[in-house]
Amino acid sequence: MSPAPLPAGETAHSATEGVTTVDGALALARQLGVERADAQALLAHLTGHDRAWLITHGDAPVAAEDLLRRLAAGEPLAHLTGVQPFHGLLLQVTPATLIPRPDTETVVDWALELLAARSGEPTVADLGTGSGAIALAIKAACPRARVTAVDLSADALAVAHGNGQRLGLAVQWLQGNWFQPLAGRRFDLIVSNPPYIAGDDPHLPALRHEPLAALTPGGDGLADLHALIDAAPGHLNPGGWLLLEHGWDQAAAVAQRLALRDFVDTGLRLDLAGRARASGGRLPGPATG
Ligand code: GLN
């Protein structure tokens, strides 16, 4: 429901109703220390208009105070709007999943390059899919890929499944622990953005609105990365690739583990800030298909 228009002469900010004007909301955001771009994105969502409209409609009423205060208190913008853009898709997100990060688009782009070099209908598995971000972005950009996505959390899978339906993208969604629901199956490409933050990382408290299990396996953060690398050869076709997102300081450890498990052609990709963010390699042998 859109908020009732303010009577003429009303001040820009009405504390009782939480209704303010666009300009009043931006002033409040500044006062609360909320990033202007975040405040604008929130106002755009609330008004149903884009940022250009906000600039020319500073007097328009908007009930933004409560949400701005929640944003200032650390709630993620994506939880307040319920959506997060990812690789050209608009995904619905809830507190049940990690909020997809732009850095993860690096992994998707790498996967799409590898898929472009293959003919036919390559098989892809996304492990720990969360909101479905990686699986759906791959399926959207490479419809001939047959994509399977796994998550341990039934609540996360419900979000992912809903995103798939809304976007009209056919992905097979399976619940279970990493490779457990994929027994006996092999893929041409396995991708994952597993929990990799160290258990004592000082940034974790700031991420408290997202599921801890999606962020950290505890310890040095490498446990799930290692487990995925160890098990992947049993689920890859000859020549099949494994791509993993990891922390900025984990590339060497991941490369070492990939080599230990006989992956070849190992390489890494940088995130948007230029830090090593994804590593991968392929099993020896000619790619089938
Ligand atoms: N990249 C995320 C962050 O640093 C963490 C994602 C993950 O642990 N897989 O906030």
Side-chain angles (χ1 to χ4, degrees):
M1 205 181 73
S2 53
L6 292 174
E10 181 70 88
T11 51
H13 180 242
S14 153
T16 45
E17 297 286 316
V19 176
T20 177
T21 61
V22 166
D23 283 347
L26 290 173
L28 177 63
R30 190 164 50 239
Q31 216 180 314
L32 294 171
V34 171
E35 294 269 355
R36 189 173 175 84
D38 284 353
Q40 285 175 319
L42 181 66
L43 296 177
H45 177 80
L46 289 173
T47 59
H49 295 285
D50 61 13
R51 288 181 194 194
W53 184 91
L54 295 175
I55 291 165
T56 51
H57 293 78
D59 290 341
V62 59
E65 182 179 339
D66 174 52
L67 292 177
L68 281 172
R69 290 193 186 281
R70 286 167 62 184
L71 204 51
E75 265 185 77
L77 177 64
H79 287 175
L80 302 181
T81 61
V83 291
Q84 174 75 9
F86 181 78
H87 209 273
L89 305 176
L90 194 61
L91 299 175
Q92 222 165 65
V93 296
T94 75
T97 76
L98 187 79
I99 299 165
R101 310 288 203 270
D103 288 329
T104 304
E105 296 180 3
T106 299
V107 183
V108 172
D109 288 335
W110 193 356
L112 291 174
E113 281 170 37
L114 294 170
L115 291 172
R118 305 187 76 127
S119 55
E121 298 182 357
T123 50
V124 180
D126 172 19
L127 301 184
T129 193
S131 63
I134 296 177
L136 291 167
I138 289 175
K139 183 68 185 172
C142 183
R144 65 191 166 82
R146 282 185 284 144
V147 183
T148 299
V150 175
D151 206 282
L152 183 58
S153 157
D155 290 342
L157 268 188
V159 172
H161 187 256
N163 278 323
Q165 279 194 320
R166 207 170 309 105
L167 295 166
L169 296 168
V171 168
Q172 182 187 30
W173 307 105
L174 298 174
Q175 193 189 349
N177 191 23
W178 299 132
F179 288 103
Q180 175 242 318
L182 303 176
R185 292 178 62 183
R186 288 182 183 269
F187 297 85
D188 298 314
L189 172 63
I190 295 172
V191 286
S192 181
N193 173 17
Y196 55 69
I197 299 177
D200 62 354
D201 189 295
H203 297 105
L204 274 179
L207 304 175
R208 66 191 175 281
H209 294 283
E210 295 176 86
L212 192 63
L215 292 163
T216 176
D220 61 4
L222 288 166
D224 288 316
L225 287 162
H226 283 169
L228 286 166
I229 296 168
D230 292 351
H235 293 276
L236 281 170
N237 289 321
W241 281 82
L242 171 66
L243 304 184
L244 296 167
E245 180 172 326
H246 53 69
W248 61 273
D249 56 353
Q250 292 171 327
V254 169
Q256 209 173 30
R257 195 73 166 209
L258 286 168
L260 186 71
R261 298 296 168 210
D262 296 328
F263 281 88
V264 296
D265 289 347
T266 53
L268 62 80
R269 293 290 167 104
L270 307 181
D271 65 16
L272 303 172
R275 293 164 303 201
R277 178 63 59 185
S279 292
R282 65 173 185 87
L283 286 191
T288 49

